[in-house]
Amino acid sequence: MARPVEQVKRASNQLHAADNKPGDISDAALVEMYRQMVLVRQFDRRCVALQRAGRIGTYPPCEGQEACQVGVANALRRQDFLFPTYRDSGAVMLHGVPMERLMLYWNGRPEGAVVPDDVNVFPMAVPIATQLPHAMGAAWAAKLRGVDQVALGFFGDGASSEGDFHVAMNFAGVFHVPAVFFCQNNQYAISVPLSRQTASETIAQKAEAYGFEGVRVDGCDVIAVYRAVQAAVEKAAQGGGPTLIEALTYRYGAHTTSDDPTKYRTAQETDAWREQDPIPRLQGQLRAWGLWDDEQENACLTEADALVSSAITAMEAAPPTPPEKLFEHIYKEPTAKLIRQRDELLVMLERRKQSEVEQSAAARGEGGKQ
Ligand SMILES: Cc1ncc(C[n+]2csc(CCOP(=O)(O)OP(=O)(O)O)c2C)c(N)n1
Ligand SMILES: [Mg+2]
């Protein structure tokens, strides 16, 4: 049975001071998870700054949710499928999508949406919950084909009110598929608080209605998330069926760069969740276990900064996308209407180019149209 929120919060507070070093995770793996959380946070903050400077489009920050992003990505095996939402840039990059490609995606570039062939990451779903039936379908396909692959679908607390969520849960339970449904319960769906989202005590308990296990973890504790997802993946791979994991977390920033959270949340509430910040928390533990010091911290920040900066440089150096690209990949064979529209666009662009050439020639006093 799922634990009530209060109990999870108390447990997480105690972790700060008195948690024992886990015996089942290597020192190197613990340090790596910390480095990854730092990298994800830097990526996230730089994306917000880039949007403010008009250098990328709308961006949905995941600051505060790094333990979920990193815990999930580390528990998945390379062959497992990830079905992310717009909030999951961290897990997307850690499961194999190059950071530069992700930057291009947030820059609105079609090249950014192309996932490398050997990376099992699906497109970030913007329509709420649509990725869950997809994840369920991929898991079902793996089962039918007898392939050792698990599909993990991320979703938010708000998504649990969508029909697609219930469709996916029902199918997954009936067909006993190797799927993990990972809810980042960050307490809000844009401005709608959890209390207006569901009358259930927990989101995890919804799994019971569909005949499989639902568990709740502290989503600010990367070790807890990693363990829960690893257990669910292992169970699914061994034919044990799906699991719903509800991770209690919080987004510190806005819903997206076009939202103002001060309209619907108090500073006290946000500050209280800041005390659970997954990054200082693991850092404190690593220091207590003798695995981290100031020198390593500085090197880690510098390294993350360099990685993000070089992805930004590569994104901005990428040649502009030709506008006619817009018409590719809509259908395998383009329709006559699309071809006509593409040709009209090409003619219009050519005319514009011509008139720009003439205008600049005129400005230089070289004649041009009278
Ligand atoms: C089908 C659909 N309905 C509405 C929206 C508008 N919308 C965008 S984000 C969002 C809230 C989702 O909240 P949650 O599932 O908790 O995810 P979070 O943004 O907190 O990560 C809504 C309603 C949408 N994108 N798709
Ligand atoms: Mg939410």
XYZ file of all heavy atoms in Angstrom, residues 230-288:
458
model
N 14.730 0.646 -11.118
C 15.493 -0.561 -11.433
C 14.686 -1.810 -11.071
O 14.623 -2.765 -11.856
C 16.822 -0.546 -10.680
C 17.829 -1.480 -11.305
C 19.059 -1.632 -10.439
O 18.957 -1.671 -9.199
N 20.207 -1.711 -11.062
N 14.034 -1.791 -9.936
C 13.231 -2.952 -9.515
C 12.066 -3.159 -10.482
O 11.743 -4.296 -10.860
C 12.714 -2.735 -8.091
N 11.437 -2.058 -10.903
C 10.288 -2.179 -11.815
C 10.730 -2.684 -13.193
O 10.033 -3.491 -13.816
C 9.590 -0.824 -11.945
N 11.889 -2.220 -13.647
C 12.402 -2.659 -14.959
C 12.738 -4.151 -14.894
O 12.388 -4.933 -15.785
C 13.643 -1.819 -15.380
C 14.374 -2.437 -16.557
C 13.225 -0.381 -15.714
N 13.391 -4.540 -13.800
C 13.772 -5.949 -13.655
C 12.533 -6.839 -13.599
O 12.461 -7.871 -14.267
C 14.589 -6.089 -12.369
C 15.468 -7.319 -12.350
C 16.332 -7.310 -11.088
O 17.104 -6.351 -10.911
O 16.199 -8.252 -10.288
N 11.546 -6.381 -12.848
C 10.304 -7.162 -12.740
C 9.646 -7.302 -14.111
O 9.231 -8.381 -14.514
C 9.350 -6.462 -11.755
C 8.058 -7.217 -11.513
C 7.153 -6.505 -10.529
C 6.264 -5.508 -11.238
N 5.278 -4.880 -10.351
N 9.565 -6.183 -14.834
C 8.927 -6.197 -16.161
C 9.689 -7.126 -17.102
O 9.084 -7.925 -17.828
C 8.887 -4.776 -16.725
N 11.018 -7.042 -17.068
C 11.841 -7.857 -17.986
C 11.690 -9.342 -17.678
O 11.837 -10.179 -18.565
C 13.305 -7.427 -17.873
N 11.375 -9.651 -16.421
C 11.230 -11.071 -16.060
C 9.789 -11.559 -16.174
O 9.431 -12.601 -15.638
C 11.749 -11.277 -14.635
C 13.269 -11.173 -14.582
C 13.807 -11.160 -13.160
O 13.027 -11.191 -12.192
N 15.115 -11.097 -13.023
N 8.948 -10.781 -16.839
C 7.573 -11.230 -17.059
C 6.623 -10.890 -15.925
O 5.510 -11.416 -15.858
N 7.046 -10.005 -15.035
C 6.211 -9.674 -13.877
C 5.165 -8.586 -14.126
O 4.445 -8.193 -13.212
N 5.123 -8.065 -15.358
C 4.095 -7.079 -15.699
C 4.459 -5.653 -15.343
O 5.584 -5.362 -14.930
N 3.496 -4.756 -15.532
C 3.777 -3.319 -15.368
C 3.833 -2.852 -13.914
O 3.364 -3.544 -13.010
C 2.596 -2.660 -16.077
C 1.495 -3.652 -16.023
C 2.108 -5.018 -15.952
N 4.404 -1.661 -13.741
C 4.419 -0.984 -12.432
C 4.138 0.491 -12.666
O 4.609 1.063 -13.652
C 5.813 -1.088 -11.758
O 6.203 -2.458 -11.697
C 5.812 -0.503 -10.351
N 3.377 1.082 -11.784
C 3.215 2.547 -11.790
C 4.043 3.082 -10.623
O 3.886 2.642 -9.480
C 1.738 2.918 -11.607
C 1.332 4.382 -11.837
C -0.194 4.485 -11.927
C 1.808 5.339 -10.775
N 4.953 4.013 -10.943
C 5.747 4.642 -9.878
C 5.335 6.104 -9.779
O 5.318 6.813 -10.786
C 7.263 4.560 -10.188
C 7.699 3.098 -10.304
C 8.076 5.292 -9.116
C 9.137 2.911 -10.784
N 4.977 6.524 -8.579
C 4.668 7.939 -8.355
C 5.827 8.551 -7.575
O 6.106 8.145 -6.438
C 3.372 8.088 -7.547
C 3.075 9.536 -7.183
C 1.897 9.688 -6.206
O 1.336 8.665 -5.758
O 1.562 10.844 -5.880
N 6.499 9.517 -8.174
C 7.622 10.184 -7.507
C 7.170 11.564 -7.060
O 6.699 12.364 -7.872
C 8.806 10.293 -8.461
N 7.324 11.840 -5.774
C 6.908 13.142 -5.240
C 8.014 14.153 -5.458
O 9.133 13.988 -4.948
C 6.608 13.005 -3.747
C 5.411 12.094 -3.480
C 5.336 11.732 -2.018
C 4.125 12.740 -3.949
N 7.709 15.164 -6.236
C 8.730 16.126 -6.608
C 8.101 17.506 -6.746
O 6.949 17.710 -6.350
C 9.449 15.642 -7.899
O 10.459 16.563 -8.257
C 8.499 15.500 -9.076
N 8.847 18.438 -7.299
C 8.367 19.823 -7.409
C 9.156 20.513 -8.506
O 10.364 20.300 -8.615
C 8.605 20.547 -6.081
C 7.809 21.813 -5.888
C 6.471 21.767 -5.515
C 8.403 23.052 -6.061
C 5.736 22.941 -5.320
C 7.679 24.226 -5.863
C 6.344 24.158 -5.499
O 5.627 25.308 -5.299
N 8.468 21.302 -9.308
C 9.260 22.108 -10.259
C 9.474 23.470 -9.615
O 8.525 24.129 -9.216
C 8.591 22.201 -11.641
C 7.309 22.983 -11.695
C 6.864 23.310 -13.107
N 5.423 23.485 -13.184
C 4.770 24.567 -12.794
N 5.420 25.603 -12.289
N 3.469 24.634 -12.883
N 10.731 23.859 -9.519
C 11.046 25.123 -8.857
C 10.722 26.310 -9.752
O 10.428 27.403 -9.272
C 12.519 25.168 -8.465
C 12.897 24.126 -7.424
C 14.133 23.494 -7.469
C 12.020 23.791 -6.399
C 14.482 22.551 -6.515
C 12.362 22.845 -5.453
C 13.598 22.230 -5.511
O 13.937 21.300 -4.574
N 10.798 26.103 -11.040
C 10.591 27.209 -11.966
C 9.157 27.289 -12.465
O 8.224 26.739 -11.863
N 9.020 27.970 -13.588
C 7.704 28.141 -14.197
C 7.314 26.875 -14.965
O 8.155 26.035 -15.264
C 7.753 29.327 -15.155
N 6.021 26.765 -15.272
C 5.564 25.630 -16.084
C 6.313 25.607 -17.416
O 6.848 24.592 -17.835
C 4.056 25.747 -16.318
C 3.557 24.807 -17.365
N 3.513 23.443 -17.168
C 3.120 25.029 -18.629
C 3.053 22.864 -18.273
N 2.821 23.803 -19.163
N 6.314 26.744 -18.080
C 7.184 26.962 -19.234
C 7.661 28.405 -19.130
O 7.203 29.153 -18.257
C 6.480 26.820 -20.606
O 5.574 27.911 -20.770
C 5.742 25.514 -20.748
N 8.519 28.796 -20.076
C 9.028 30.169 -20.039
C 7.932 31.196 -20.328
O 8.192 32.386 -20.264
C 10.178 30.317 -21.052
O 9.811 29.639 -22.252
C 11.468 29.739 -20.509
N 6.709 30.757 -20.644
C 5.640 31.736 -20.841
C 4.646 31.753 -19.674
O 3.530 32.241 -19.818
C 4.915 31.496 -22.174
O 4.524 30.163 -22.262
N 5.059 31.227 -18.527
C 4.159 31.148 -17.366
C 4.758 31.938 -16.197
O 5.969 32.120 -16.109
C 4.037 29.650 -17.006
C 3.475 29.379 -15.635
O 2.373 29.873 -15.352
O 4.126 28.669 -14.847
N 3.877 32.417 -15.316
C 4.344 33.123 -14.121
C 3.780 32.412 -12.882
O 2.630 32.636 -12.495
C 3.856 34.583 -14.163
C 4.180 35.324 -12.867
O 4.873 34.750 -11.996
O 3.739 36.478 -12.732
N 4.575 31.551 -12.249
C 4.044 30.734 -11.152
C 3.696 31.523 -9.891
O 2.993 31.006 -9.026
C 5.167 29.725 -10.879
C 6.399 30.332 -11.431
C 5.982 31.241 -12.553
N 4.158 32.777 -9.788
C 3.810 33.544 -8.575
C 2.310 33.843 -8.542
O 1.774 34.215 -7.507
C 4.585 34.875 -8.495
O 4.216 35.689 -9.609
C 6.086 34.647 -8.504
N 1.635 33.648 -9.662
C 0.177 33.877 -9.709
C -0.592 32.783 -8.976
O -1.760 32.955 -8.657
C -0.311 33.913 -11.168
C 0.324 34.986 -12.014
C -0.491 36.272 -11.952
C 0.056 37.302 -12.893
N 0.576 38.479 -12.209
N 0.013 31.608 -8.806
C -0.764 30.510 -8.222
C -0.015 29.724 -7.124
O -0.547 28.755 -6.612
C -1.248 29.554 -9.327
C -0.141 29.018 -10.230
C 0.621 27.917 -9.862
C 0.134 29.626 -11.457
C 1.625 27.432 -10.683
C 1.141 29.150 -12.291
C 1.882 28.049 -11.891
O 2.879 27.574 -12.706
N 1.236 30.143 -6.787
C 1.960 29.445 -5.712
C 2.561 30.493 -4.785
O 2.926 31.576 -5.232
C 3.126 28.614 -6.252
C 2.783 27.596 -7.278
C 3.953 26.660 -7.574
N 5.217 27.294 -7.906
C 6.201 26.705 -8.582
N 6.045 25.450 -8.993
N 7.322 27.316 -8.829
N 2.706 30.112 -3.518
C 3.324 31.065 -2.586
C 4.830 30.824 -2.529
O 5.301 29.707 -2.774
C 2.756 30.907 -1.163
O 3.094 29.588 -0.708
C 1.248 31.093 -1.132
N 5.563 31.878 -2.162
C 7.019 31.747 -2.019
C 7.346 30.767 -0.890
O 8.308 30.009 -0.979
C 7.629 33.115 -1.733
N 6.502 30.760 0.167
C 6.755 29.843 1.298
C 6.726 28.397 0.824
O 7.542 27.577 1.220
C 5.697 30.001 2.410
C 5.771 31.313 3.155
C 4.856 32.368 2.515
O 4.883 32.595 1.294
N 4.048 33.019 3.332
N 5.744 28.107 -0.043
C 5.624 26.724 -0.525
C 6.863 26.338 -1.330
O 7.459 25.278 -1.124
C 4.367 26.607 -1.392
C 4.162 25.208 -1.921
C 3.028 25.123 -2.930
O 1.877 25.421 -2.571
O 3.306 24.733 -4.091
N 7.254 27.219 -2.233
C 8.420 26.917 -3.078
C 9.679 26.781 -2.218
O 10.484 25.872 -2.422
C 8.594 28.025 -4.147
O 7.335 28.229 -4.772
C 9.598 27.634 -5.201
N 9.819 27.678 -1.241
C 10.992 27.618 -0.361
C 11.043 26.292 0.406
O 12.113 25.714 0.599
C 10.974 28.776 0.653
C 11.214 30.117 -0.034
O 11.602 30.114 -1.220
O 10.992 31.163 0.611
N 9.868 25.843 0.848
C 9.836 24.588 1.614
C 10.323 23.430 0.741
O 11.077 22.563 1.204
C 8.427 24.323 2.126
N 9.920 23.423 -0.511
C 10.388 22.351 -1.402
C 11.861 22.512 -1.746
O 12.547 21.524 -2.020
C 9.533 22.295 -2.673
C 8.258 21.538 -2.473
C 7.037 22.037 -2.132
C 8.077 20.110 -2.588
N 6.113 21.023 -2.023
C 6.728 19.835 -2.307
C 8.926 19.050 -2.895
C 6.206 18.540 -2.327
C 8.412 17.757 -2.920
C 7.064 17.506 -2.634
N 12.359 23.745 -1.731
C 13.799 23.958 -1.991
C 14.652 23.222 -0.958
O 15.780 22.827 -1.238
C 14.141 25.452 -1.934
C 14.039 26.171 -3.239
C 15.265 25.961 -4.136
N 15.063 26.594 -5.433
C 15.701 26.263 -6.551
N 16.609 25.315 -6.561
N 15.464 26.882 -7.673
N 14.093 23.058 0.232
C 14.850 22.325 1.262
C 15.063 20.865 0.881
O 15.898 20.181 1.429
C 14.128 22.405 2.610
C 14.257 23.778 3.246
C 13.360 23.914 4.462
O 13.038 22.888 5.102
O 12.970 25.061 4.746
N 14.222 20.393 -0.050
C 14.346 18.994 -0.490
C 15.217 18.883 -1.746
O 15.318 17.802 -2.321
C 12.956 18.447 -0.862
C 11.875 18.678 0.143
C 11.822 17.573 1.159
O 12.288 16.474 0.906
N 11.276 17.871 2.319
N 15.781 19.987 -2.191
C 16.522 20.017 -3.462
C 17.427 18.788 -3.617
O 18.321 18.551 -2.796
C 17.371 21.308 -3.515
C 17.979 21.545 -4.897
O 18.275 20.567 -5.604
O 18.169 22.727 -5.251
N 17.193 18.002 -4.677
C 17.930 16.740 -4.823
C 19.438 16.902 -4.989
O 20.198 15.987 -4.659
C 17.337 16.117 -6.094
C 16.630 17.222 -6.814
C 16.207 18.205 -5.761
N 19.891 18.081 -5.457
C 21.332 18.216 -5.741
C 22.143 18.458 -4.465
O 23.044 17.679 -4.150
C 21.573 19.271 -6.851
C 20.960 18.733 -8.157
C 23.064 19.542 -7.013
C 21.162 19.598 -9.380
N 21.829 19.501 -3.664
C 22.553 19.638 -2.399
C 22.400 18.406 -1.514
O 23.304 18.059 -0.746
C 21.909 20.848 -1.726
C 20.993 21.466 -2.706
C 20.879 20.582 -3.909
N 21.253 17.789 -1.646
C 21.020 16.621 -0.798
C 22.005 15.483 -1.099
O 22.660 14.972 -0.194
C 19.601 16.143 -1.060
C 19.234 14.914 -0.305
C 17.763 14.901 -0.261
N 17.254 13.622 0.081
C 15.975 13.354 0.046
N 15.116 14.271 -0.347
N 15.553 12.184 0.398
N 22.157 15.122 -2.380
C 23.118 14.059 -2.700
C 24.546 14.559 -2.445
O 25.399 13.803 -1.989
C 22.959 13.574 -4.152
C 23.914 12.433 -4.551
C 23.716 11.186 -3.672
C 23.753 12.050 -6.018
N 24.764 15.840 -2.699
C 26.123 16.356 -2.462
C 26.500 16.186 -0.981
O 27.609 15.760 -0.645
C 26.234 17.839 -2.849
C 27.671 18.294 -2.826
C 27.821 19.804 -2.922
O 28.582 20.408 -2.166
N 27.110 20.423 -3.853
N 25.541 16.511 -0.095
C 25.784 16.363 1.346
C 26.089 14.912 1.699
O 26.985 14.626 2.496
N 25.344 14.007 1.087
C 25.571 12.587 1.366
C 26.943 12.152 0.863
O 27.692 11.484 1.568
C 24.463 11.756 0.702
C 23.121 11.926 1.393
C 21.996 11.267 0.597
O 21.914 11.399 -0.620
N 21.135 10.569 1.293
N 27.295 12.575 -0.365
C 28.598 12.180 -0.933
C 29.739 12.698 -0.057
O 30.729 12.000 0.169
C 28.752 12.713 -2.365
C 27.846 12.106 -3.444
C 28.124 12.769 -4.798
C 28.021 10.597 -3.557
N 29.583 13.933 0.428
C 30.630 14.495 1.298
C 30.727 13.685 2.594
O 31.823 13.369 3.054
C 30.336 15.965 1.614
C 30.665 16.917 0.454
C 30.309 18.347 0.826
N 30.418 19.263 -0.287
C 31.529 19.959 -0.601
N 32.612 19.840 0.133
N 31.529 20.770 -1.641
N 29.552 13.358 3.162
C 29.551 12.600 4.420
C 30.193 11.223 4.231
O 30.797 10.679 5.159
C 28.127 12.458 4.935
